[in-house]
Amino acid sequence: MTLDSKVPGGPIEGKWDRHKFDSKLVNPANRRKLTVLCVGTGLAGASASAALGELGYNVLTFCIHDSPRRAHSIAAQGGINAAKNYRNDGDSVYRLFYDTVKGGDYRAREANVYRLAQVSVDIIDQCVAQGVPFAREYGGLLDNRSFGGAQVSRTFYARGQTGQQLLIGAYQSMMRQVDAGTVTLMPQREMLDVVIVDGQARGIITRNLTTGELEKWAGDAVLLATGGYGTAYYLSTNAVNSNVTASWRAHKRGALFANPCFTQIHPTCIPVSGDHQSKLTLMSESLRNDGRVWVPKTPGDRRPPQQIPEAERDYYLERRYPSFGNLVPRDVASRAAKLVCDEGLGVGETGLAVYLDFADSINRLGKDVIKQRYGNLFDMYQKITDDNPYEVPMRIFPAVHYTMGGLWVDYNLMSTIPGLHVLGEANFSDHGANRLGASALMQGLADGYFVIPYTLSHYLASTALPKVTTDHDAFREAASNAQGQISRLLSIKGNKTPRELHRQLGRVVWDYVGMSRTAEGLKKALTEIPRLRDEFWQNVSVPGEANNMNKNLEYAGRVADYLEFAELLALDALTREESCGGHFREEYQTPYNEAARNDEQFAHAAAWEFTGVGQAPVRHVEPLQFEYVKPSQRSYK
């Protein structure tokens, strides 16, 4: 299979504008005759639904929650990047493009990243017009702060709840279209399959999570905006409801899955406290603007942090990376934290934590300023840990956060299934091997507001789409397939809960496919994961009924998909014999413990083709060319 990225030719600065002009349009009268199915209501899904509804398409939008405002985008805290250069500190579209390609360790498609940087400036204007309450300076201009991997201040923010405010803006825009009748919202629905008719994505199968009923929906195109797969690790910063099911079921229908081993470990998370936890809590990367990261210089030093003199502290990020200090990218900061903890310098009861200390900033700026910038984050930390971060340093440790891998898409955001477009974190396209902070919100809104309205119109205008109804055999087959899995899950009557088996899977992937990986450990994971999958299908306990609300059944279906997906995650990590970004193979590192890429053999995206559960998938590659940002050893020193 040849992977055609469909990147337009010519200078990078003009690719997107030229592509928009060359794309075919659908006239307003014809838009009303076309139905688009949008799965997901986070930033990518809500913004796409709003934009397409505004254009006059008939949009059916499916939400796994009772309200779109519960989508996981609400959890993003720190900010959204845009190359506005309000600080006059040297920022530009090109610099944002450069920082993002470098931050992704040269494993992203240049044209996609440049487009992202271009439209970033429009996103801010869109959100301000919606009333998003971005922080402002004394004179009334929008404020900016710094984030990891950049030496300019380009991150717009709303205290520590930027994702929530942006999601409310997108939600309001979408609900305006619901009121106008162009968008129909379907809450409490989970997509269980995509329906392929004559090689095109023409519908989906959903389960009504309130009644248990399987439902068939037909349309002219399908958009997946269902987020990432971080909860494969069981403990992550993601909401427990976040899952891989929609993407994985599409993968099993023919959509290639690209770079699953590119998972991001976030350095600023509240440490694990015990087996009772079902998720972890993120402390925003923005805290590293004013917080200093350190550990005691002496292994096993258990004194309270206030009693450790300055001379006996190791501000290891500032020492190792003098140019960027505490604002190195997430993968670099995470590995550095693991390294000092492995050396016995970690703090807290487990020794798996480092300090994030605000004493210097409070002394310099005053408590009120810090409270204004981060107050809700400090309150959250105190409620969870019972420590007051105004008085004692926070304790943090890396945790699974974001996933750069996802379904492969071309420049038009279309997967290898014609008509199936993939937006936001569910696709693989913009972040390479490591996402810079404050870029997830940027990508989700870019895809939804500014990319998919053009590329989807081109697909709809240039493709023959004969009338299809849910009476078609393909819908019956897909519904029967979904019902078969439900019946099988309910029939096993074992003695282990889905959560228990998910927790076991999480331990395997965190231990062997987590912050650092080895060939030996990955081979171990590839032995353990199929064993766990077999145990699941022989011994899982799923009480309740199919045709009713059944949270156990929902969860079991997602765990079943993770037990298949995790094998691909480990296989991709084993096959990629290099270190890059969040994928760190211990065999491939520099003398200074930094990632050592192998550009000669692995300057490509790896896209996997499904051949059957337990069968070896087929690996395809999309070569990556770097004409504008030449690959070099990534250094933040």
Side-chain angles (χ1 to χ4, degrees), residues 14-158:
K15 285 183 188 291
W16 178 232
D17 288 339
R18 217 167 28 254
H19 189 66
K20 286 191 292 185
F21 181 77
D22 291 342
S23 295
K24 294 183 178 180
L25 302 177
V26 180
N27 78 53
N30 285 340
R31 292 175 204 155
R32 293 192 292 270
K33 304 173 187 176
L34 295 167
T35 297
V36 179
L37 309 179
C38 182
V39 186
T41 55
L43 286 180
S47 60
S49 296
L52 295 171
E54 187 83 42
L55 286 169
Y57 291 103
N58 177 35
V59 183
L60 302 182
T61 300
F62 300 86
C63 173
I64 199 172
H65 306 288
D66 55 349
S67 166
R69 289 178 59 175
R70 291 174 63 85
H72 186 61
S73 300
I74 204 171
Q77 298 166 339
I80 177 171
N81 286 330
K84 287 284 198 181
N85 195 31
Y86 282 172
R87 287 288 185 90
N88 197 29
D89 56 0
D91 202 12
S92 64
V93 167
Y94 195 91
R95 187 176 292 278
L96 175 53
F97 158 65
Y98 172 88
D99 287 344
T100 306
V101 173
K102 176 186 175 183
D105 222 346
Y106 308 94
R107 291 295 176 262
R109 194 188 287 148
E110 274 193 335
N112 284 68
V113 179
Y114 194 89
R115 176 176 65 187
L116 180 64
Q118 274 182 296
V119 304
S120 70
V121 297
D122 300 319
I123 294 170
I124 302 303
D125 296 339
Q126 173 91 3
C127 295
V128 169
Q130 291 169 344
V132 172
F134 287 120
R136 293 180 181 268
E137 295 178 330
Y138 178 77
L141 296 178
L142 298 184
D143 196 10
N144 293 121
R145 58 189 178 200
S146 301
F147 252 64
Q151 291 178 303
V152 297
S153 295
R154 63 163 67 102
T155 303
F156 295 77
Y157 65 97

Side-chain angles (χ1 to χ4, degrees), residues 342-551:
D342 288 348
E343 292 171 351
L345 299 171
V347 301
E349 293 180 8
T350 64
L352 294 176
V354 299
Y355 288 128
L356 181 61
D357 195 339
F358 294 87
D360 285 356
S361 294
I362 290 172
N363 289 336
R364 177 169 50 89
L365 301 171
K367 181 178 177 180
D368 288 345
V369 172
I370 298 301
K371 188 171 186 177
Q372 184 179 19
R373 292 177 180 176
Y374 313 111
N376 62 312
L377 298 171
F378 278 42
D379 292 345
M380 187 191 311
Y381 182 88
Q382 185 166 4
K383 285 180 181 178
I384 293 171
T385 65
D386 202 29
D387 285 338
N388 184 345
Y390 294 105
E391 298 174 0
V392 297
M394 290 183 177
R395 292 189 307 277
I396 58 169
F397 193 69
V400 173
H401 179 54
Y402 186 89
T403 55
M404 288 74 67
L407 295 182
W408 184 91
V409 293
D410 62 18
Y411 191 69
N412 295 317
L413 303 184
M414 190 157 73
S415 72
T416 47
I417 299 175
L420 179 66
H421 296 74
V422 190
L423 286 65
E425 190 180 358
N427 76 34
F428 89 108
S429 65
D430 290 9
H431 305 298
N434 173 60
R435 177 177 68 79
L436 291 185
S439 289
L441 306 183
M442 177 173 61
Q443 187 210 348
L445 293 178
D447 287 355
Y449 283 136
F450 298 108
V451 178
I452 201 64
Y454 291 95
T455 60
L456 179 64
S457 293
H458 177 75
Y459 170 76
L460 294 172
S462 57
T463 306
L465 295 166
K467 177 74 172 173
V468 168
T469 70
T470 56
D471 293 329
H472 193 283
D473 286 346
F475 283 87
R476 282 194 285 271
E477 183 273 330
S480 175
N481 184 58
Q483 184 60 57
Q485 171 140 323
I486 289 170
S487 299
R488 185 182 175 194
L489 286 168
L490 291 169
S491 69
I492 296 170
K493 309 295 185 188
N495 57 27
K496 281 197 172 182
T497 66
R499 187 171 300 279
E500 187 178 356
L501 291 158
H502 189 188
R503 189 183 288 113
Q504 289 180 252
L505 173 67
R507 287 198 190 103
V508 170
V509 290
W510 176 249
D511 287 346
Y512 302 121
V513 205
M515 220 182 318
S516 65
R517 300 142 184 205
T518 65
E520 181 183 3
L522 292 166
K523 290 173 183 175
K524 172 84 168 172
L526 287 167
T527 300
E528 288 294 306
I529 293 167
R531 182 192 64 75
L532 265 176
R533 189 169 63 236
D534 289 343
E535 183 178 5
F536 175 90
W537 286 110
Q538 293 170 17
N539 203 23
V540 73
S541 171
V542 185
E545 306 168 356
N547 299 319
N548 209 332
M549 180 183 287
N550 190 336
K551 303 302 288 185

Side-chain angles (χ1 to χ4, degrees), residues 618-634:
V618 178
R619 188 177 190 265
H620 305 275
V621 301
E622 178 199 342
L624 298 171
Q625 272 100 36
F626 296 94
E627 183 180 354
Y628 294 89
V629 183
K630 298 299 182 184
S632 61
Q633 175 62 44
R634 202 163 54 122

Side-chain angles (χ1 to χ4, degrees), residues 550-565:
N550 190 336
K551 303 302 288 185
N552 290 294
L553 180 59
E554 290 171 37
Y555 191 73
R558 296 165 196 165
V559 175
D561 291 327
Y562 273 136
L563 285 162
E564 295 175 6
F565 165 76

Side-chain angles (χ1 to χ4, degrees), residues 322-336:
S323 292
F324 282 74
N326 295 296
L327 288 175
V328 291
R330 293 172 176 180
D331 60 324
V332 176
S334 293
R335 284 196 296 274

